[in-house]
Every structure is written in C-alpha cells, then in structure tokens.
Amino acid sequence: MHQTNLEPALLAISLSRQSAEPLQAQLAHALRTLIDRGIAPPGARLPASRAFAAELGVSRATAVAALDQLRAEGYLASRRGAGVFVAHNLPDAPDAAPRPPSPAPPRAGALAPPPPTAPRPFHPFEGGADETLFPYRDWARLLEKSWRAPDRAALCAPDPFGWPPLRRAIAAHLAAWRGVEDDGAPIDPARVIITAGAADAASLIARAAFAPGGAIALENPGYRPTERRFQAAGLAIVDAPVDANGLDPERLPTADGCFLTPSRHYPLGVALPLARRRALLEWAGAAAAPRALIEDDYDSEYRYEGRPIPALAALDDGAHVLYLGSFSKVFSPTLRLGFLVAPARLIGAFADAIAADGPQASLIPQPALAAFMESGGYAAHVRRMRRRYGERRKALIAALQVTIGDDLKPAPEPSGMHLVCRFSPALAARLTDAEASARAAEAGVSARALSSFYRDPGAAPFQALILGFSAFETAALEAATHRLALALRP
Amino acid sequence: MHQTNLEPALLAISLSRQSAEPLQAQLAHALRTLIDRGIAPPGARLPASRAFAAELGVSRATAVAALDQLRAEGYLASRRGAGVFVAHNLPDAPDAAPRPPSPAPPRAGALAPPPPTAPRPFHPFEGGADETLFPYRDWARLLEKSWRAPDRAALCAPDPFGWPPLRRAIAAHLAAWRGVEDDGAPIDPARVIITAGAADAASLIARAAFAPGGAIALENPGYRPTERRFQAAGLAIVDAPVDANGLDPERLPTADGCFLTPSRHYPLGVALPLARRRALLEWAGAAAAPRALIEDDYDSEYRYEGRPIPALAALDDGAHVLYLGSFSKVFSPTLRLGFLVAPARLIGAFADAIAADGPQASLIPQPALAAFMESGGYAAHVRRMRRRYGERRKALIAALQVTIGDDLKPAPEPSGMHLVCRFSPALAARLTDAEASARAAEAGVSARALSSFYRDPGAAPFQALILGFSAFETAALEAATHRLALALRP
C-alpha cells in the first residue's frame, strides 16, 4: 500500500466562502481533481476526518460529507479501523472490464471530471438510477456501430415520431413487461412516439389530447414539475385527491383528462387497486368526448416481490389511456429520451403537435438504444438492477431500523426506488417533516418531506421523509442513515 | 453491368391509395427495400419512367419524383442515354471508406432504412445541411470513446447548462469564427448554455429574459415557428418591420426585446448594416430595464465570398445580446443540440428557468461533439461544407439561368443555404409565388413562397421562391430545376 504523504496537496486545496458553490462540493471537487491527476494515487491514505477538517478549516460534517460523496462515487474506499484510501478501481475503469495500461491522465474526448464551473453535488437519498452500474462499454460499442455508416434517407427526413426500430422495440418491451398489447400482439409501433422526456411529453399531450383551455386533473400529492408544463401549455389544473390506496375516482373533479401514476403512486408508492382502475376507465368513456387518462409508468420495472401489476393501458380498449414511459429510471436522465403510446384516434393530433416545433428528442442515442433493446441487453440490465436495488432497499430498511429505530417507519410496498418513511408520534411531536428535511440538508443528506408533495403541505395525513436508495451503494446508504440520525436528534 | 430483370419485383410493389402516405413516398420506400434486400442489385437497370409508371398504375410525375428522390439519396444513379441504375456505392457504405465484404443485409444496430410506417420524403430544395457528407466514422469513434468509461460524478449530477468541455469549445469557436469575445479572450463558458434546439432556447429565453406578459418584437417576414414558442410562453408578439436592408430600427415598435437574424436575414438573406446594429444596441440600452436583443446566428458559417460579418454579440458590451447558435446547419437537426450565450446578468435567471423542467438536451452527443470541436474536426468540416455548398449554389444559379432564364432571378448575397429567387414581371403577372409553390409541390419540388414568411402574405414587396441548395448534389439540383421549370410553364 502506498504511504504517499498527501498533506502538502491537501493543504494546497483552496476553498472559497464567497462562492455560490457549497464548501462540501468545492472540497469534493478538489479531491476528485487530486485523484484524477494522480497527485493522490490509488492506495494513498487520507488523514482522519477530524484532522482533515481542521487542516482545511471546515467543519467536520463538511469534511465527512465530501468524503462520503467521493466514497459513493467510487473515488475513495475505506477499511474498518484503517481509515480512508484512494480507491484502486477508479471510476473511469469499471471493475469487470479489462483496463488500459495507463489510465491516469484523462483521455481527450473521454468524459473527464467536470471543471470548476461544475455542478451541484449528488447527495445520498436523491432519487434515480445508479448510473455507475450501466454497461457503458456495450453502450459505447452500439453508439459506434449505429453511426459508423448511417442510412442517408433516415437522416435527411427522419420520422418525427422517432427512430422506427426503437419504436418497434418499445412495443415489444411493453407487451413482454407491462401487458400492453393489442389482441395478444405487440401494439402497432405507429402509436409509439419518442419524446425528449416528461416535460416534452406533457407539452405534446396538452396540445394533442386536450382542447385549448381544457382542464386536467393531477394527483395531489403528486409530481409537481409536470403541473408547470401543463399550465404553461394553457390547461387548467384541478386536483385529484389521493388516499392511502392512491387516486380516488369517487372524488375526481370535473376535467377533460387525468394524469396519474397507477403502478406506483408518486410519491406514496401504492399501487392503484383494480376496482379504481376500472372506475377510471369508465369515467374516461362516460363523457361526450373521450377523456384522456395519462398513465405515467415511471418506475414500474422495479418490483421486488410478487408479480408486476399490468399497466392501466393493458386494461384499456386502446381509446383512452396515453401511456408514458421513461428511460431515465433504467438508463439515465442524461439520455433525455422517453416515449408515449397514443390511442390511434390521436395519432394525427400528435403529428400536428410535433410539426409545430419539430421533434425535440435527439436521434443520436435512438438507434443504439433500439439495438440494446433488440439484443436483450436492456432487459438483462433491468433485471440486474432490480436485484441490486432490491438489496439496497433491504439494506436501507435494516440501517434505518438499527440506527433510527421506531422513529422512522418505512412503508412496506416492495417496489420503486425510494422509501416513504413515516414519523413515529414521538418524532412528529418534535419535528415536522419539512423541518427534518431542512436539518438533513444541512448534514448533506437529501431527504424530501412528504408534505412538500401536497399543494397544501398542511393537508398531508402524516409526516414522512422520502429516501431514495437506488443510486447508492450499501455503505453510502448506511453512512447517510447515520448522518440522518444525528440530524434528527433532539 | 447486370442485366437483372426487375420487372417481376417491380410488379409486386403494392401501393395503397387509402394510405395517408403519398404514393410517391410509398413507391420510394418500396424501391429502397428492393435495393436494400439485394433484390435489385447494384447495376440493375430500371425501366424508363414512362413504362415504370404505367406498370405501377401511377402518374409519370409520381414515378419521376420517386426515382429522383432515390437518386438524390444515392440509391440510384443515371447515365445519359442509358437510363437509371441501382447505384454501385449504396448509401450505407461511403465511397471513401473501406467497405466490409458483405454489405447487403442491414446489420443489427446499424441505421437500417426505415420500415413501412416511415417518414415523409425529403424533396429537392428543402433546406438544411447535407447530412450525407458528415464524417460519420469519426463521429462514431468519438461517441464510442466518450461513453466507454464515463466519469461517474458527471453522470450523477450533470451540469444543468450542459457538458462543460462542450461549453468551453463553443466559447473558443465563437472567438475564432464570430468575433464574440470578452476583452480579446474567449467568453466565460459559464455564459454558454446547451439547449435542445431553437424551440427549447425560445422557451428558456421567454422565462429568463422577459417579465411575464412582456412583449417581444419578431422580424416580419421571419421564421414563424419561433413565434409560436414565444407566444406559448406567454409573451406578446409585435412585428418588427423589415426592408431590403433587414430589420429597420427606426420602425421598431414598443417591446421589451427583439428577436432578429442580423448576419443573414431569414429568409431574405441580407446582412444588417453596421449603423442599424449600433441603433439596435442603443435601443436595447435606452430603457429603464435593459432590453434583450436575441441574435439568431443560424447559418453564419456559410459565407462564400468576402469576410464573415462579426456577430451582433461582438459589438455588445455583454449586457444586451443573447446569442443563439445551432448545430443543425453544420451537423444535422437530428442532433437536437443548440446553444445560447447569455449576458452574465441573466445567468441566475436561466438557471431558474432550466431548473423548472430540467435540461432538455441529451447528454449523449455532448462529449463527442466537444471532442470533435477540440480536435479541429468541426472547423474542418465547416470549411469543407462551405466549399461544397458554394459550388452547389453556383450550380443552382447556373441551372436556373439555363433552364428558367429571366423568370427567376436569384438574389446576389453570397451566403447561406438557400437562394431567394425573385419573379420577373412576366412571371408575376401569371402566378403568385404561393401558386408557383403549390405547382412545384405537385411536381415533388419544395419551393417555398417568400410571401408565406410574411404575417400578411399580401405585404410581400415582390414575389419570390426560396430554393435550398445545400442538401442536394448538383445533379439533383439540375433535375429539380428542370421539374420546377415544367411546373411553372404557362
């Protein structure tokens, strides 16, 4: 093991309290740079966090948070009793893959670490896929293969609905994974539209499936960013009340359509019961003009016990449900690709809506993604992630039990990418979830308050924190749970 | 030369008059499939268009249009007096590159020709880059290289303004090509924001640079799709009158900002004189709150004689001009990447605007594009295209002169990707440009009427057709000119 003396390099780290960037992020960035440049080589040991913090003139919490972050990113490793070391398998060389002989200096064109202008840190318990587990080598090969000698016609006049083979692959995936079929066969790929993600899909849906000035019901609590897009597109927003079983069709207000998360309510995590699904489909068909049910099936792939629940679209006769799928939860939000399945009756309206601005999704990743799906690589990755995230979920539940005990009780739904952790009466008497969330943020932990998902935070039926587990290794989840416990102390 | 008998295969082509897809597109697709499957091998001769049309039961114009399209796409070649043949260098194997031994069946994952659900045909004189000339092999290699082993931190928390090295490369490019600098050095990359193209940029600008309900002046005539986006974002649209020298600052209406194309007015093609630029900058600074000048520098790279005119942003003190750049005109609209340069005073407002929906641009192509720009490959490609498009421009001018003569007179500006062809008094007496455009469309030729760019088509000061030359080879331009001449005949 190296016994490199890192002290001079660490002392040279300069942090600015005037910067808009938090000290912790500055520190993490500086450490990453030292490691990437080989100044802190693999195996080099870092000082204990207390000494480290003192040397740099920051609080120990800041130092711990920066070290935890780099550990979660794979830059650092720790051994019990022996301290923290620069990792031997640095992030730019995945463990399993053969490694070029001299990985130290960043290669031109490779994704080198971001420069000083760079982004916010990624905090434990934030949501999303673990992008570090994606099979990037395969993906890079598929990108190369698909663009080496592309078809001219497809480039000069690309299909505004997206790359056709990708749309076929999606139709096949939906039949196999989500029960979305047409007479036992995959749906017509002509109904599949590639989008640049949820915001793009919402803009298109507002124009294609609603009359100008129409009203859309959104789940409350629910995913607020979508609301802004529908509103910007000129729709009136009305609230669809949600109870412990999800959206309640009995209390659905007057509207021309409804946006919902039936497979796993966001953020409560419950699956909508069959009777409610049937009632919604009835509601959709009961008006003079068909109403639109927009099903956001955002993380349906991740169900850790039992069988996945078929999509609402699988119950529909193909006339009312607009199915929204995402690649963000499996691959990465950086892909900026999602898709929607439109009823046949709306295909023309979607074509018009897309013609107004042109397609917003980049074509660059589409052929590679189609090949990835066709080859089975995509399904294999989903299955691998399902196993891995299931383990992480269990690890977080265990860590919460050991470290925090009864004060935070995770909801039992064995699915998704986050836990809804309900406050004990004792904790709720001391703190609101918004206060708890603020304390966690100060400790470098991202724990969103359930009440923040309600239009009126006071309307939340209980206090809870939302903890994402999918993007972090077990050790990072445990460390973050520990910090959360400290932050919640009286 | 093969003497394959294609008649049975051609007779088997089935076209549907019930389909929404035009017969010409169906026919082009069917032919492409025959060629791709090797049923019509390289060298095979097609029947003369008259016989071909008769066999298929379509008009000769439809058959000719489909054949022309495939010729422009590189599937077919023709020799004077000898008819039309399947090309020897099929589109999926660029001439210069070494070719795998068995190119006939489409490779899994490669961009195979689109299936029957596929897109609109690409008609001669449509605008845009010639995507077939892009160095795809280099591009594919850069994609592979950049995603083989990406940096984890950059993926988990990507910069919402885009991939930082790409933003640095853009700042360097703007200094070198467009005179946009800050005290003689490239501008701060922190001011460069990667967008998903013009529509995304317009939405962000409306939110970041205008108060809700603000007014924006748009050139009339001008690029209408932008108008819809600004309107959708809640801005009031007012008309900025344009004369033969471009936007007239003297007649600028009351507004909080102005969107313009100073380097080359769209579609008139004129460059805004320096005095008008100065007057606009004065106007922008004369109000209590700074007004925004949004400079759309959409095809400034293509100037075939003389020196490029520096951007309006190069004259600005960095407070008023929002510079919009595009990669569509150099690379391809399929990339869905553009960028904007914001004044420093608006950086925070743009960060807020992007935070609302998240970034819309895919990260996938950004590192490869950064590497392409850093390596000089991008600049070299622009220079190659400038030479090539300059030749095509000359060829189209010559073809118009030979085939149509004085009836269509191209404007002299030696720049851009299209010609503005003004009607002679004799032609204008017979046809409006809208009528001429409709006749051209029937003949499979895309020739937009100048009047269609005016809010009130009757306000156009003269009749003209807009003919794009950049995306088509000389032979295709000549063939299309011939068809246009026939379509405009009395």
Side-chain angles (χ1 to χ4, degrees):
Chain A
M1 187 184 309
H2 283 261
Q3 283 303 327
T4 314
N5 183 5
L6 288 182
E7 315 268 320
L10 295 176
L11 279 173
I13 290 177
S14 128
L15 304 174
S16 159
R17 279 166 210 281
Q18 270 68 56
S19 164
E21 197 180 17
L23 285 174
Q24 174 200 330
Q26 293 182 46
L27 180 51
H29 173 69
L31 285 172
R32 240 185 254 114
T33 306
L34 290 178
I35 296 170
D36 284 317
R37 295 200 179 142
I39 297 168
R45 188 165 118 180
L46 271 74
S49 61
R50 193 181 301 273
F52 186 48
E55 270 173 14
L56 292 166
V58 298
S59 74
R60 197 174 160 209
T62 300
V64 167
L67 293 175
D68 279 353
Q69 190 188 327
L70 266 73
R71 192 154 34 201
E73 290 169 8
Y75 279 92
L76 299 177
S78 53
R79 239 154 316 177
R80 194 186 299 269
V84 178
F85 300 88
V86 177
H88 280 278
N89 291 299
L90 288 177
D92 64 339
D95 300 5
R99 191 168 172 182
S102 62
R107 296 173 297 281
L111 297 198
T117 55
R120 63 173 189 81
F122 187 63
H123 290 295
F125 300 142
E126 286 195 46
D130 186 341
E131 327 222 2
T132 66
L133 299 175
F134 194 76
Y136 281 106
R137 259 164 208 278
D138 298 342
W139 174 243
R141 260 193 294 266
L142 291 172
L143 280 169
E144 198 278 331
K145 204 168 167 188
S146 61
W147 285 101
R148 195 191 297 156
D151 174 60
R152 303 181 180 205
L155 291 178
C156 292
D159 191 313
F161 279 16
W163 184 246
L166 176 58
R167 295 157 62 204
R168 281 200 299 273
I170 289 170
H173 180 80
L174 289 177
W177 285 71
R178 306 298 302 128
V180 179
E181 296 178 317
D182 196 7
D183 282 332
I187 56 163
D188 183 354
R191 290 175 55 204
V192 180
I193 301 168
I194 308 298
T195 68
D200 182 29
S203 292
L204 291 176
I205 288 170
R207 275 184 275 160
F210 290 81
I216 185 167
L218 302 186
E219 291 173 329
N220 179 25
Y223 183 65
R224 295 276 150 238
T226 321
E227 173 169 339
R228 212 200 57 73
R229 267 286 167 136
F230 285 125
Q231 213 156 22
L235 296 189
I237 311 292
V238 292
D239 277 0
V242 167
D243 63 20
N245 289 313
L247 186 147
D248 182 0
E250 300 274 311
R251 294 190 288 151
L252 205 53
T254 307
D256 306 300
C258 178
F259 182 95
L260 70 161
T261 49
S263 296
R264 182 171 148 83
H265 176 268
Y266 187 83
L268 291 175
V270 294
L272 196 68
L274 187 61
R276 290 194 172 188
R277 293 172 185 240
R278 293 238 160 86
L280 276 169
L281 288 166
E282 218 162 275
W283 174 80
R291 292 181 177 123
L293 289 174
I294 301 136
E295 171 177 32
D296 184 2
D297 210 33
Y298 68 104
D299 69 358
S300 56
E301 283 88 355
Y302 300 123
R303 189 157 192 93
Y304 310 110
E305 291 166 24
R307 292 173 57 80
I309 299 153
L312 181 61
L315 289 178
D316 185 33
D317 56 4
H320 298 105
V321 175
L322 283 80
Y323 179 96
L324 280 190
S326 168
F327 293 109
S328 304
K329 300 293 183 281
V330 171
F331 186 122
S332 155
T334 60
L335 192 62
R336 293 309 317 157
L337 285 185
F339 62 91
L340 69 84
V341 178
R345 67 178 172 91
L346 292 176
I347 293 296
F350 274 102
D352 292 344
I354 290 172
D357 288 335
Q360 296 299 299
S362 173
L363 187 64
I364 303 299
Q366 294 186 43
L369 186 53
F372 190 43
M373 294 183 85
E374 284 162 12
S375 71
Y378 184 84
H381 178 64
V382 171
R383 279 190 292 264
R384 263 197 308 273
M385 290 309 99
R386 190 161 55 187
R387 201 168 50 240
R388 193 73 87 101
Y389 296 168
E391 290 159 9
R392 291 179 178 185
R393 179 175 167 276
K394 279 191 184 155
L396 176 57
I397 292 174
L400 286 166
Q401 182 52 41
V402 168
T403 316
I404 304 189
D406 294 336
D407 267 353
L408 284 183
K409 198 173 165 53
E413 277 76 23
S415 59
M417 305 168 90
H418 66 252
L419 289 175
V420 180
C421 299
R422 190 168 177 158
F423 285 20
S424 67
L427 180 57
R430 285 201 293 114
L431 288 174
T432 65
D433 56 10
E435 285 162 353
S437 175
R439 284 200 189 185
E442 274 172 39
V445 172
S446 170
R448 285 197 64 184
L450 174 63
S451 61
S452 70
F453 293 90
Y454 283 81
R455 184 179 305 283
D456 167 15
F462 54 88
Q463 309 289 306
L465 291 176
I466 309 290
L467 305 183
F469 52 79
S470 44
F472 301 91
E473 294 190 22
T474 303
L477 292 172
E478 285 164 356
T481 304
H482 187 69
R483 274 189 284 149
L484 178 62
L486 293 176
L488 297 184
R489 270 194 191 161
Chain B
M1 186 183 312
H2 284 260
Q3 284 302 328
T4 314
N5 184 4
L6 288 182
E7 315 268 320
L10 296 176
L11 280 174
I13 290 177
S14 129
L15 304 174
S16 159
R17 279 166 210 281
Q18 270 67 54
S19 165
E21 198 182 25
L23 284 175
Q24 175 201 328
Q26 293 183 45
L27 180 52
H29 173 69
L31 286 172
R32 240 186 254 114
T33 307
L34 289 179
I35 296 170
D36 283 318
R37 295 200 180 143
I39 297 167
R45 189 166 119 178
L46 271 73
S49 61
R50 194 181 300 274
F52 185 47
E55 269 174 14
L56 292 166
V58 298
S59 75
R60 197 173 160 211
T62 300
V64 166
L67 293 175
D68 279 353
Q69 189 189 328
L70 266 73
R71 193 155 33 202
E73 290 170 7
Y75 280 91
L76 298 179
S78 52
R79 239 154 316 177
R80 194 187 300 272
V84 178
F85 301 87
V86 177
H88 280 277
N89 291 299
L90 288 177
D92 65 340
D95 300 6
R99 192 168 173 181
S102 61
R107 295 173 297 282
L111 297 198
T117 54
R120 65 173 189 81
F122 187 63
H123 291 296
F125 300 142
E126 286 194 47
D130 186 340
E131 326 223 0
T132 65
L133 299 175
F134 194 76
Y136 280 106
R137 259 165 207 279
D138 298 341
W139 174 243
R141 259 194 294 267
L142 290 172
L143 281 169
E144 198 278 331
K145 204 168 166 188
S146 62
W147 285 100
R148 195 191 297 155
D151 174 59
R152 303 181 181 204
L155 292 178
C156 291
D159 191 314
F161 280 15
W163 185 246
L166 177 58
R167 294 157 62 203
R168 280 199 300 272
I170 289 170
H173 180 80
L174 289 177
W177 285 71
R178 306 297 302 127
V180 179
E181 296 177 318
D182 196 6
D183 283 333
I187 55 164
D188 183 353
R191 291 175 55 203
V192 179
I193 301 168
I194 309 298
T195 68
D200 182 30
S203 293
L204 292 175
I205 288 170
R207 275 185 275 162
F210 290 81
I216 185 167
L218 302 186
E219 291 173 328
N220 179 24
Y223 184 64
R224 295 275 151 239
T226 321
E227 174 169 340
R228 211 200 57 74
R229 267 285 168 139
F230 284 125
Q231 213 156 23
L235 297 188
I237 311 292
V238 293
D239 279 0
V242 167
D243 62 20
N245 289 312
L247 186 147
D248 183 358
E250 300 274 310
R251 294 190 288 151
L252 205 54
T254 307
D256 306 300
C258 178
F259 182 96
L260 70 161
T261 49
S263 296
R264 182 171 149 83
H265 177 269
Y266 187 83
L268 290 175
V270 294
L272 197 67
L274 187 61
R276 290 194 172 188
R277 293 173 185 240
R278 293 238 159 88
L280 276 169
L281 288 166
E282 218 162 275
W283 174 81
R291 292 180 177 125
L293 290 174
I294 301 137
E295 171 176 32
D296 184 1
D297 210 33
Y298 68 104
D299 68 357
S300 56
E301 283 88 355
Y302 300 122
R303 189 156 193 94
Y304 309 111
E305 291 167 24
R307 290 173 58 79
I309 298 154
L312 180 61
L315 290 178
D316 185 33
D317 56 5
H320 299 104
V321 175
L322 283 79
Y323 178 96
L324 281 190
S326 168
F327 293 108
S328 303
K329 301 292 184 281
V330 171
F331 185 121
S332 155
T334 59
L335 193 62
R336 293 306 319 156
L337 285 185
F339 62 91
L340 70 84
V341 179
R345 66 179 172 90
L346 292 176
I347 294 295
F350 274 102
D352 292 344
I354 290 172
D357 288 335
Q360 296 301 298
S362 173
L363 188 63
I364 303 300
Q366 294 187 43
L369 186 53
F372 190 43
M373 293 183 85
E374 284 161 10
S375 71
Y378 184 84
H381 178 64
V382 171
R383 280 191 291 264
R384 264 197 307 272
M385 290 307 99
R386 190 161 54 188
R387 202 166 50 238
R388 193 73 86 101
Y389 296 168
E391 290 159 9
R392 291 179 178 185
R393 179 175 167 275
K394 280 192 184 154
L396 176 57
I397 292 175
L400 286 166
Q401 182 52 41
V402 168
T403 316
I404 304 188
D406 295 336
D407 268 353
L408 283 184
K409 198 173 164 53
E413 276 75 24
S415 60
M417 304 168 89
H418 66 251
L419 288 174
V420 180
C421 300
R422 190 168 177 157
F423 285 19
S424 67
L427 180 57
R430 283 202 293 115
L431 288 174
T432 65
D433 56 10
E435 286 162 352
S437 176
R439 284 199 188 185
E442 274 171 40
V445 172
S446 169
R448 285 198 64 182
L450 174 62
S451 61
S452 70
F453 293 89
Y454 284 79
R455 185 179 305 285
D456 167 15
F462 54 88
Q463 309 289 306
L465 291 177
I466 309 291
L467 306 183
F469 53 78
S470 44
F472 301 91
E473 294 191 22
T474 303
L477 291 172
E478 286 165 355
T481 304
H482 187 69
R483 273 189 285 148
L484 178 62
L486 293 177
L488 297 184
R489 270 192 191 160

